Amino acid sequence: MAQKRGFYSFWRDFDEVMNEMRAEMEGRFQSLLAESAPARALPMLRGEGPRVDVYAHEDEVIVVADLPGAEKENISLRLINPRLLEIAAVQKEEREGGEEGYVMRERFYGTMKRVVSLPAEVREESASATFKNGVLEVHFKKAEVEKGAVIPIE
């Protein structure tokens, strides 16, 4: 006799696949736009990605992201260009009792991805990141922007 999977299991699996597809499309869409438009013109795509705070200080930019349930080994950071940061994480589900006993399941397991528009150009070499208690914190030094050239008068 084949084991029946519950109705909630089907929708949880469906949601996971949809979230993975959304994350992949957001990353591709943002990457394509980043090549042709200034970063400040890019709209933030709201999805199932991690929630972030972005701070701009005099000489640095700080990004703080909530990644509950993720492990440090399953997080990746990529600077797409000097004004776009991609955060990706995989949250793995620990199954112990199968589907029995669940009345409701809302916690997310799967891939989360978010492309964050930075308020200033940053340098990749100066980046540092920490992850503690489900909170990722990334520090960048701002890139020095040339303010124009002096033109001598003859």
Side-chain angles (χ1 to χ4, degrees), residues 51-68:
R51 301 291 181 235
V52 299
D53 292 336
V54 180
Y55 304 96
H57 294 288
E58 189 173 311
D59 63 341
E60 75 176 337
V61 173
I62 302 170
V63 178
V64 179
D66 289 337
L67 298 169

Side-chain angles (χ1 to χ4, degrees), residues 42-116:
L42 295 176
M44 277 286 194
L45 294 178
R46 305 220 186 270
E48 296 299 319
R51 301 291 181 235
V52 299
D53 292 336
V54 180
Y55 304 96
H57 294 288
E58 189 173 311
D59 63 341
E60 75 176 337
V61 173
I62 302 170
V63 178
V64 179
D66 289 337
L67 298 169
E71 297 292 329
K72 182 169 84 171
E73 302 79 35
N74 297 326
I75 299 171
S76 68
L77 298 171
R78 183 170 69 102
L79 197 59
I80 296 171
N81 69 37
R83 293 189 67 132
L84 283 178
L85 173 67
E86 178 184 80
I87 302 169
V90 177
Q91 293 173 300
K92 297 183 179 178
E93 179 178 15
E94 296 177 15
R95 290 189 182 201
E96 291 184 8
E99 297 298 318
E100 286 188 38
Y102 283 103
V103 176
M104 181 186 333
R105 293 196 67 176
E106 294 182 343
R107 294 173 48 203
F108 174 79
Y109 299 99
T111 303
M112 294 192 322
K113 188 182 283 188
R114 176 87 183 256
V115 176
V116 180

Side-chain angles (χ1 to χ4, degrees), residues 18 32 34 38 46 54 65 89 114 121 127-129 141 143 153:
M18 292 302 292
L32 288 173
R46 305 220 186 270
V54 180
R114 176 87 183 256
E121 289 191 7
S128 66
K141 292 286 182 196
I153 300 174

